[in-house]
Amino acid sequence: MDQHTEHTLCGKLSSACGFSSFNFKNIFTSRLLKTIALGQVLSLLICGTAVTCQLLADSKVETPMFQSFLNYTLLLLTYTTFLCTRKGDGNILQILRTKWWKYLVMGLADVEANYAVVKAYQFTTLTSIQLLDCFVIPVLMALSWFFMKTRYKLVHFVAVMVCLLGVGAMVGADFLAGRVQGSTSAVLLGDSLVLLSAILYAVSNICQEHTVKNGSLVEFLGMMGLFGTLISGVQLAVFETHAVSSIKWDRCIILLFGLYVSIMYALYSFMPVVVRLTSATAVNLSLLTADLFSLFCGLFLFHYKFSVLYLISFAVIIVGFIMFNVVPTSSAPPNNSAEEFANRTAGSSSNPLMDADEEAETFIAVDNCN
């Protein structure tokens, strides 16, 4: 094989893997470090909701729909109220006239995803939930491919496999530590609920990504607050009226409810910002560490047994997350502009992360001006 042929094959392989214009000296850029940090902030927030839910459950309070209703109501009182003060095309009446059905679908998917995964704990084990909940990632990638026209490279698929390997290590640590939670009363039903919640989360997240990257964050959160409150309010009235009325309110219960709602409000307010800067798939990869943060908290609060596999799992997930974000995805060009797309790609800088960062900053600046 001559040198020219070898060089051509290496170039094709690098392009397929996503390294054709990548400089390994620029791996740990400020953008990548910021992406990792923001993702772990989201994981910590989810950890906070998990811990408060566990503390409420220990206090014999199991009202997932009521808790969601409080969160959506807080979004309604802030973001939806702000939308009501807008004038022109951004007014809430104009949004409802043109986009009501889109936000209805998003709100329904989000509410039911939360409800399905919580109900799954009554029928299946924590191990099944941790494993099957990862199904959201391939579903998200498929939806992104078809609806967002996102094109992944080989390194992205390898990165996802690395992250899932980290989840496997976490589940293995749970098994070795004998930490079994949940139920086995109807495993098939419970597993089906987890898969359903993963699909609904994927639908909700891909809609969220499309909305926040092409519109206003306030509009998205305001509409989620409006439709989320309506949908969860109806389900609350149907399914949890008795459970809420039987709560024995005291200072501790009120504090836990307040803490849970505050964390959820922060999560819902902050997550669209991170999705806009990265992608729904990248965000969900970073959220795989949330269970590990919950486990670390459980070492002190619930006396879980420590395993070194937890640390290995965390490290593996972070490595996979870095692999996924270090090479940016691309978008499929329209059929009639493939040549223009190729020319634009050829004229870009040698550091794709810097290009992506500049595009994100430009988008945010334009959005703020509007």
Side-chain angles (χ1 to χ4, degrees):
M1 181 181 296
D2 57 31
Q3 186 175 1
H4 175 72
T5 304
E6 183 178 354
H7 178 74
T8 302
L9 290 176
C10 290
K12 291 182 178 179
L13 180 61
S14 297
S15 178
C17 294
F19 299 125
S20 57
S21 60
F22 181 72
N23 187 353
F24 280 96
K25 294 180 180 179
N26 298 321
I27 291 181
F28 292 101
T29 61
S30 59
R31 174 178 172 79
L32 179 59
L33 295 176
K34 180 170 63 176
T35 300
I36 295 173
L38 293 176
Q40 296 316 294
V41 169
L42 291 177
S43 285
L44 285 171
L45 290 173
I46 290 183
C47 167
T49 63
V51 171
T52 50
C53 278
Q54 184 63 53
L55 292 172
L56 284 170
D58 291 344
S59 301
K60 308 302 180 183
V61 177
E62 296 183 0
T63 54
M65 192 54 64
F66 178 57
Q67 292 162 221
S68 294
F69 175 76
L70 293 177
N71 171 54
Y72 290 122
T73 301
L74 192 55
L75 292 174
L76 174 73
L77 294 175
T78 52
Y79 295 106
T80 310
T81 301
F82 182 79
L83 278 182
C84 292
T85 63
R86 278 186 171 182
K87 297 180 180 180
D89 293 338
N91 183 267
I92 188 171
L93 295 178
Q94 182 64 26
I95 296 172
L96 289 174
R97 287 194 194 100
T98 58
K99 306 176 185 177
W100 66 269
W101 64 272
K102 297 180 181 179
Y103 287 111
L104 176 62
V105 171
M106 272 191 280
L108 187 63
D110 193 67
V111 172
E112 300 309 327
N114 290 329
Y115 186 72
V117 73
V118 172
K119 290 295 291 184
Y121 280 93
Q122 300 179 13
F123 305 107
T124 190
T125 62
L126 176 65
T127 300
S128 294
I129 293 174
Q130 288 174 327
L131 288 174
L132 295 176
D133 197 43
C134 297
F135 186 62
V136 67
I137 295 173
V139 175
L140 257 177
M141 295 181 75
L143 292 176
S144 297
W145 183 283
F146 288 107
F147 296 104
M148 301 288 289
K149 305 302 180 183
T150 303
R151 294 297 177 258
Y152 299 100
K153 299 179 175 65
L154 179 60
V155 66
H156 296 120
F157 295 103
V158 174
V160 170
M161 294 302 297
V162 171
C163 288
L164 296 182
L165 182 63
V167 175
M170 176 182 63
V171 173
D174 286 343
F175 179 78
L176 293 176
R179 193 172 76 91
V180 180
Q181 293 181 346
S183 173
T184 56
S185 60
V187 174
L188 182 60
L189 175 60
D191 291 350
S192 299
L193 286 173
V194 178
L195 292 175
L196 175 62
S197 72
I199 294 172
L200 292 174
Y201 273 130
V203 172
S204 175
N205 288 347
I206 201 67
C207 291
Q208 179 182 17
E209 180 179 353
H210 179 269
T211 303
V212 300
K213 286 188 175 182
N214 296 280
S216 167
L217 296 177
V218 174
E219 177 183 319
F220 168 76
L221 291 169
M223 290 296 99
M224 285 297 292
L226 176 61
F227 286 100
T229 300
L230 293 175
I231 296 169
S232 61
V234 171
Q235 287 193 221
L236 170 63
V238 174
F239 297 112
E240 287 188 3
T241 304
H242 176 72
V244 173
S245 62
S246 62
I247 296 176
K248 297 180 180 179
W249 295 95
D250 57 32
R251 184 178 301 176
C252 180
I253 297 297
I254 294 174
L255 179 62
L256 287 174
F257 267 105
L259 185 60
Y260 175 85
V261 173
S262 299
I263 296 174
M264 282 294 289
Y265 180 80
L267 175 64
Y268 270 71
S269 299
F270 188 51
M271 187 169 179
V273 178
V274 185
V275 169
R276 171 182 276 186
L277 291 175
T278 56
S279 68
T281 304
V283 167
N284 276 272
L285 286 174
S286 69
L287 296 183
L288 293 177
T289 59
D291 287 333
L292 288 166
F293 286 130
S294 299
L295 289 170
F296 295 147
C297 291
L299 295 174
F300 302 98
L301 296 175
F302 309 117
H303 307 292
Y304 293 159
K305 293 182 180 179
F306 175 77
S307 172
V308 70
L309 280 177
Y310 291 142
L311 296 179
I312 296 175
S313 174
F314 181 83
V316 171
I317 292 174
I318 292 297
V319 168
F321 181 69
I322 292 174
M323 290 174 61
F324 187 90
N325 285 278
V326 78
V327 176
T329 58
S330 58
S331 298
N335 293 332
N336 59 354
S337 61
E339 183 177 352
E340 178 184 351
F341 177 80
N343 293 334
R344 186 178 62 183
T345 303
S348 63
S349 69
S350 60
N351 188 347
L353 283 177
M354 292 179 62
D355 291 341
D357 198 22
E358 291 173 359
E359 290 176 5
E361 291 176 356
T362 302
F363 180 85
I364 294 173
V366 172
D367 184 69
N368 290 336
C369 290
N370 293 335

